[in-house]
Structures are given as C-alpha cells and as structure tokens.
Amino acid sequence: MPWETGLRGKRALVTAASRGLGFGAARALLEEGCSVVISSSNQANLELALRELRPLGHVEAVKADLTRKEEIDALVDRASSLLGGLDILVYVTGSPKPGPFMEQGYEDWLEASRLLVVSAAYLARRAAEVMLRQGTGGRIVLLASVAIREPVPSLATSNVCRIAVAGIVRTLARELGPRGIRVNGILPGYIRTKRLEQILLDSAKRRGIGPEQALAELEREIPMGRVGRVEELANAVVFLASDLSSYVNGALLPVDGGYLRSVG
C-alpha cells in the first residue's frame, strides 16, 4: 500500500525558497498537498519561483530578509495570516562568503552569526509561538550542513556558526516535544545548487585548477560517487515534516551520500 504522509492540507512556511534547497523543499511539500508560503530577500527571484510553483497548488510569497528582526516578525505574521495558521516551518538560509578562518574579519563574523544563528533561533521561536497558540502541534525542520560535523577548510564561518542549528534542534526538541511540536534538523552534504558552484569555483581558484577537476575530486570523496540532487534533499524534508517520522524528534539527519566519516 502507498505511504500516507499526512501532509495534505497542512500549512507550511519555507524560507530562502526562491531557488536551491528551499525551492526544492517548497515544491515537494506542494506536491504532497500542503499550502505553502515561500520567502526570499530577492523579490525578482521570489516572483519567478512563485510563477513556477503556482500550478502545483496553493502557494504565496513574502519578501523577507532573515537578518532583520522586524522582517522575521512580519514574515511569520503574514504567513500565518495567508495560510490561516502554521503547521510546518522549513528553515533554509543563504550562506556567507566562503574562505578560511584567518580571512574573516569582525564584520564577517557578525554578518554570519546574524544570518546563520540569530535568524534560525528567532524564526523557530516565532513559528513555535504560532503553533502553540493553535494547540494542534507542528513540525520544525532546520537545515544546517555536514560542515558542523566535519569542518570544511574554505567555509570557516559556516563551520562555526551552523553548529548553532544543532543546539537549537536539540534544545527545542526537548522543550516543545511535550507540547506536540517535533523539531529536527537536516545536514545537507554537497547538493547541486548555485552554492556548490560557488564553492567549487573558490576551491579551484585557490588551488590553481579548473572547476571540473575540483568537482571530480570532490565526487571521489563521496561513497556514492556523485553530488546530490535537490529533489533528494527535499525528500528528507518531506519525511521529517510528515507523519512518516512521527517518533523522530531532535534528530540531525545527514543527506550526503555517505560523505561524513564520523560516527555520531
């Protein structure tokens, strides 16, 4: 018999959803019958995404810069108003510029912490407040990176700041689990997106090789022999947002083709 996700009719907010991982997650939730609000700080990209997603179901768009408190507040209020409530938050955010630790200045760390730490914590709180008022439970899925388990030399700010997402997941899972809200995280590995292209170009430039060689070397480090597809990451989002993961709470799920070598 087919799997029943229990997602039909659920109301979801997906951030950074004008392209890449967020767009893929929004598409997958729409295909499962959710009503979805997508957000992005780029209005033009948001409108393009909205046009592409509209044939799949009920989708709305709200422009929001996740580094600004007032815009996070407005995003949650607007999303819950448009959808008539909120059952699911999928948190995705952009990435700070690549580079090793010793190239990062004070402003770089400040920007990265606002983007990767404060936005995740505050947005999760605001979404949870809506879910708690409803009294019907909810699901929060926060995306981080495999870099929090095994730091990547050229992604210093991500290595450091995205670790906070693991703390948010474990802390909120214990606080909100007794009240019917499950909180889980996903650790994407190397997924074919614009961000991966940026990383490969930066690596190739620093090492004096071509991007194609950098990709080939990376894929040799992945047991499955290739980088992932956005749709494969989106499947993990659907799983954690759905009834299929009804007893999964506080988990950090790698979606990396086996790239991580660490145990735990």
Side-chain angles (χ1 to χ4, degrees):
M1 69 184 280
W3 292 105
E4 177 52 59
T5 64
L7 286 172
R8 185 161 300 281
K10 297 296 184 183
R11 302 158 296 185
L13 168 60
V14 184
T15 62
S18 65
R19 61 185 185 181
L21 302 183
F23 180 86
R27 172 187 287 276
L29 290 172
L30 282 164
E31 290 173 342
E32 290 295 327
C34 290
S35 295
V36 178
V37 166
I38 60 172
S39 80
S40 169
S41 60
N42 186 306
Q43 184 66 42
N45 288 344
L46 196 57
E47 291 173 359
L48 289 173
L50 188 61
R51 285 201 292 273
E52 187 170 345
L53 292 173
R54 270 187 174 142
L56 300 177
H58 177 206
V59 58
E60 307 281 354
V62 178
K63 182 177 180 294
D65 180 348
L66 298 185
T67 66
R68 301 177 65 85
K69 174 185 180 296
E70 63 273 18
E71 296 199 25
I72 293 176
D73 286 329
L75 171 61
V76 174
D77 291 343
R78 182 64 175 151
S80 58
S81 174
L82 287 168
L83 299 176
L86 192 61
D87 304 301
I88 299 164
L89 168 66
V90 180
Y91 168 84
V92 187
T93 189
S95 300
K97 67 180 183 181
F101 192 98
M102 295 304 294
E103 288 184 6
Q104 309 303 321
Y106 181 84
E107 292 300 324
D108 296 318
W109 287 109
L110 197 61
E111 178 184 353
S113 63
R114 282 198 300 262
L115 180 64
L116 304 179
V117 181
V118 179
S119 69
Y122 189 63
L123 181 57
R125 174 187 167 171
R126 286 301 324 279
E129 288 172 343
V130 175
M131 295 172 187
L132 290 170
R133 284 198 301 270
Q134 293 170 174
T136 54
R139 301 88 185 262
I140 296 175
V141 181
L142 306 177
L143 270 65
S145 168
V146 292
I148 75 173
R149 294 266 179 87
E150 295 178 14
V152 178
S154 62
L155 299 178
T157 51
S158 286
N159 294 340
V160 174
C161 293
R162 288 194 192 275
I163 290 174
V165 173
I168 295 166
V169 166
R170 292 291 171 81
T171 301
L172 273 184
R174 295 191 67 86
E175 287 191 17
L176 299 179
R179 305 180 73 176
I181 300 173
R182 294 189 293 107
V183 184
N184 292 291
I186 295 176
L187 307 181
Y190 292 98
I191 309 295
R192 191 173 292 279
T193 63
K194 293 291 185 182
R195 172 62 171 172
L196 178 60
E197 293 176 10
Q198 182 187 27
I199 292 170
L200 291 172
L201 285 170
D202 181 75
S203 174
K205 181 179 179 181
R206 291 175 186 278
R207 298 166 57 205
I209 62 175
E212 297 81 6
Q213 182 180 343
L215 174 60
E217 291 178 3
L218 171 62
E219 290 183 325
R220 284 196 290 271
E221 295 295 316
I222 301 171
M224 291 187 68
R226 62 176 177 84
V227 298
R229 302 189 303 273
V230 169
E231 295 81 8
E232 293 173 311
L233 190 284
N235 288 340
V237 172
V238 168
F239 170 69
L240 291 176
S242 76
D243 292 345
L244 298 176
S245 59
S246 58
Y247 197 57
V248 181
N249 188 37
L252 294 163
L253 175 64
V255 181
D256 65 348
Y259 175 82
L260 284 176
R261 294 173 174 82
S262 56
V263 179

